[in-house]
Amino acid sequence: MAVLDDLSGFEFEDVMEDVFRNLGYENVRQAERIADEGRDVIMEEVVDGTRRGIVVECKHTGTVGRPVVQKLHSAIATFNFDGPKRGMVATTGRFTNPAQEYAERLQQNDDPHPIELLDGEDLREIADGIGLDLYNGRIEILCDETLRPYDLATDVDGPVREAFRDIENIEAADLPVPHSEVTFRPVVAVTADTNAVFETSVGVIHRINDRTRFVVHAERGQPKVADDDAATLVTENLHATVELDPSQFEEVFDGVEERRFGQTQTEYKEWAVDRLREYHTTTVTYTGDNNVTYNKTCEPNRSDISVQSIEPVYLPEVRHTTDILEYTYSYEYYAAGPSRVTAEDGIHRCVHCDTSDVDETYTYCPNCGAIACDSHTKTERLEREPVCTGCAVTERFALKTKYFYDEDNLEAFREEYAAMPLHEKAMENKLLAGGSVVATLLVTIGLLMLVGII
């Protein structure tokens, strides 16, 4: 674990912003880095229904003396906040005795602006307690909470059996046990407020007052916003997480993999701010005092966007593979207990044309194990059971193509066909035989010609 002293002053402020956000403080943001008047981080808390402002001074130094604490006390008094206020001094080092005595005296005298002191040892204990690590000079997300990867009320392979229920000609109870794997993928749920007012000489021309919540895939590489279904799955189940215990899940799944968060909380926060600035940027048309029409691009400043929370959690991605005769079927989904969002459905897909229309009917071929759409599913003539066009043996009888499981079935039907009366042979082509008497006669004549009678 990297030493706090390795951080630069600005990096230390980034770290503290992440720490306070994870501790549950609200509206955590950094003050302007120029002339901050003794205020580095500003945030809020709610105690017994009362909202209180907190001003934090971050000191990246070996020793913090009484003057720093006194300066913060003055900064709290001048901080514009409608309600009670208090302060904190956070340092990578330690506090002198006079500094500690001054803060203690404020507490004992019930001063309206008390100050809490956090030294380097306190910060390390806090970071450990909230599941964060000081890694390469910054806070790396170390999350041990996950959405539940399966429904406790059923077996792990329950979703596979459910998916196969829609397939014609196969019973879910007859399926082989699938190979099941789970990958715990890191995501972060971001909540941010955007408040911006854009004015010209004619007054306010545009206003933004918006709270945004979105979920971001947080593995290595560029963060990626999750689609709506996956985001809803995460946000609706954040209250029902369980401890990520790989040994426990290895008893249930054939394979377990845990991915690592790719970036720090500060980096996700900065990325979210940039994304929201771009999202809210718009061009507004307005009329000036001179009755001339103007266009103005309204882009929020970084200070207009406040990231309220960054909630890390693991999103289980479950993958089942089922081997049936010549084919393997995959079924993949994001899971949260009984709820899931399908990521890949290789069951409802024709193996011959890749048709995957949800309104399509799919039928299992017991001859080769294929799942095929209606266009690639036929009725085997001898057994009267489904067979797919990929494995069927074909031959024409009564001018119509017939489908068979194999050469043995074909040969058996040849013998059966040879013994049929002519009118039964004609019925092997129902389209023609059922059309009219003339059509039936034509088919009969055709058959007679085929056997050499005429």
Side-chain angles (χ1 to χ4, degrees), residues 159-266:
V160 178
R161 293 196 302 271
E162 182 179 330
F164 271 102
R165 289 193 185 103
D166 297 332
I167 307 302
E168 301 288 335
N169 199 45
I170 190 171
E171 295 294 332
D174 298 333
L175 292 169
V177 176
H179 180 84
S180 301
E181 299 179 342
V182 60
T183 300
F184 292 97
R185 297 191 175 278
V187 298
V188 291
V190 181
T191 302
D193 291 333
T194 305
N195 294 284
V197 177
F198 302 89
E199 297 182 83
T200 68
S201 59
V202 300
V204 176
I205 61 170
H206 184 57
R207 190 187 303 270
I208 304 171
N209 183 9
D210 178 70
R211 167 157 285 195
T212 306
R213 194 174 196 190
F214 53 93
V215 174
V216 181
H217 291 288
E219 296 182 44
R220 293 181 182 274
Q222 182 70 11
K224 180 182 178 182
V225 177
D227 62 32
D228 291 342
D229 290 340
T232 299
L233 185 72
V234 172
T235 55
E236 289 186 351
N237 290 278
L238 278 173
H239 66 286
T241 59
V242 296
E243 182 182 356
L244 176 50
D245 181 358
S247 61
Q248 173 188 348
F249 295 126
E250 285 170 357
E251 298 177 0
V252 180
F253 292 93
D254 299 308
V256 176
E257 181 183 2
E258 177 185 350
R259 299 287 176 88
R260 188 171 180 172
F261 283 84
Q263 299 189 38
T264 67
Q265 285 209 359
T266 296

Side-chain angles (χ1 to χ4, degrees), residues 18 22 132 139 141 263-269 310 312:
D18 286 345
N22 277 273
L132 299 175
I139 284 192
I141 300 174
Q263 299 189 38
T264 67
Q265 285 209 359
T266 296
E267 288 169 321
Y268 288 120
K269 186 206 74 170
I310 296 179

Side-chain angles (χ1 to χ4, degrees), residues 147-165:
L147 305 185
R148 187 178 293 279
Y150 63 97
D151 183 4
L152 290 175
T154 185
D155 295 331
V156 168
D157 57 354
V160 178
R161 293 196 302 271
E162 182 179 330
F164 271 102
R165 289 193 185 103

Side-chain angles (χ1 to χ4, degrees), residues 380-385 403-404 408-410 412-413 416:
E380 205 274 346
R381 175 58 186 85
L382 194 65
E383 304 290 342
R384 301 293 184 180
E385 294 291 335
Y403 296 83
F404 303 90
D408 290 342
N409 281 46
L410 171 58
F413 182 72
E416 181 181 312

Side-chain angles (χ1 to χ4, degrees), residues 216-413:
V216 181
H217 291 288
E219 296 182 44
R220 293 181 182 274
Q222 182 70 11
K224 180 182 178 182
V225 177
D227 62 32
D228 291 342
D229 290 340
T232 299
L233 185 72
V234 172
T235 55
E236 289 186 351
N237 290 278
L238 278 173
H239 66 286
T241 59
V242 296
E243 182 182 356
L244 176 50
D245 181 358
S247 61
Q248 173 188 348
F249 295 126
E250 285 170 357
E251 298 177 0
V252 180
F253 292 93
D254 299 308
V256 176
E257 181 183 2
E258 177 185 350
R259 299 287 176 88
R260 188 171 180 172
F261 283 84
Q263 299 189 38
T264 67
Q265 285 209 359
T266 296
E267 288 169 321
Y268 288 120
K269 186 206 74 170
E270 296 299 323
W271 178 86
V273 170
D274 290 338
R275 179 178 180 274
L276 288 171
R277 289 186 69 195
E278 180 180 353
Y279 174 78
H280 286 296
T281 296
T282 186
T283 299
V284 175
T285 301
Y286 69 97
T287 302
D289 294 328
N290 54 1
N291 289 326
V292 175
T293 299
Y294 296 93
N295 293 324
K296 179 178 176 60
T297 299
C298 300
E299 180 181 11
N301 295 318
R302 298 186 67 84
S303 58
D304 295 329
I305 300 172
S306 174
V307 176
Q308 297 297 317
S309 65
I310 296 179
E311 300 173 88
V313 70
Y314 281 97
L315 174 61
E317 184 179 51
V318 180
R319 181 178 179 85
H320 302 285
T321 52
T322 307
D323 295 325
I324 308 178
L325 299 179
E326 300 175 16
Y327 294 90
T328 298
Y329 299 98
S330 62
Y331 187 57
E332 191 170 310
Y333 54 88
Y334 296 118
S339 303
R340 60 183 182 273
V341 172
T342 302
E344 178 186 348
D345 185 355
I347 297 173
H348 296 83
R349 179 182 298 144
C350 178
V351 300
H352 300 301
C353 66
D354 277 341
T355 297
S356 57
D357 191 335
V358 293
D359 296 326
E360 182 70 58
T361 298
Y362 299 93
T363 304
Y364 170 71
C365 171
N367 194 47
C368 67
I371 292 176
C373 65
D374 280 350
S375 298
H376 292 91
T377 299
K378 304 298 179 180
T379 300
E380 205 274 346
R381 175 58 186 85
L382 194 65
E383 304 290 342
R384 301 293 184 180
E385 294 291 335
V387 66
C388 75
T389 58
C391 69
V393 175
T394 63
E395 190 168 308
R396 291 176 69 82
F397 293 88
L399 307 181
K400 183 175 176 61
T401 300
K402 301 293 180 179
Y403 296 83
F404 303 90
Y405 284 146
D406 50 33
E407 291 291 345
D408 290 342
N409 281 46
L410 171 58
E411 183 58 34
F413 182 72

Side-chain angles (χ1 to χ4, degrees), residues 412-432:
F413 182 72
R414 283 175 182 158
E415 296 175 3
E416 181 181 312
Y417 184 78
M420 288 180 183
L422 287 178
H423 71 279
E424 290 186 12
K425 290 180 178 178
M427 290 301 294
E428 289 300 321
N429 192 335
K430 293 182 179 180
L431 181 63
L432 294 178

Side-chain angles (χ1 to χ4, degrees), residues 16-31 40-46 51-56 79-82 191-195 209-211 269 273 302-310:
M16 292 313 305
E17 184 181 357
D18 286 345
V19 167
F20 291 131
R21 189 179 296 112
N22 277 273
L23 285 172
Y25 292 100
E26 300 180 5
N27 200 18
V28 182
R29 71 268 190 201
Q30 292 186 37
D40 293 322
V41 175
I42 302 168
M43 57 194 185
E44 299 168 16
E45 66 180 352
V46 178
R51 183 169 293 275
R52 178 163 55 184
I54 304 174
V55 180
V56 184
F79 175 46
N80 184 19
F81 183 80
D82 186 17
T191 302
D193 291 333
T194 305
N195 294 284
N209 183 9
D210 178 70
R211 167 157 285 195
K269 186 206 74 170
V273 170
R302 298 186 67 84
S303 58
D304 295 329
I305 300 172
S306 174
V307 176
Q308 297 297 317
S309 65
I310 296 179

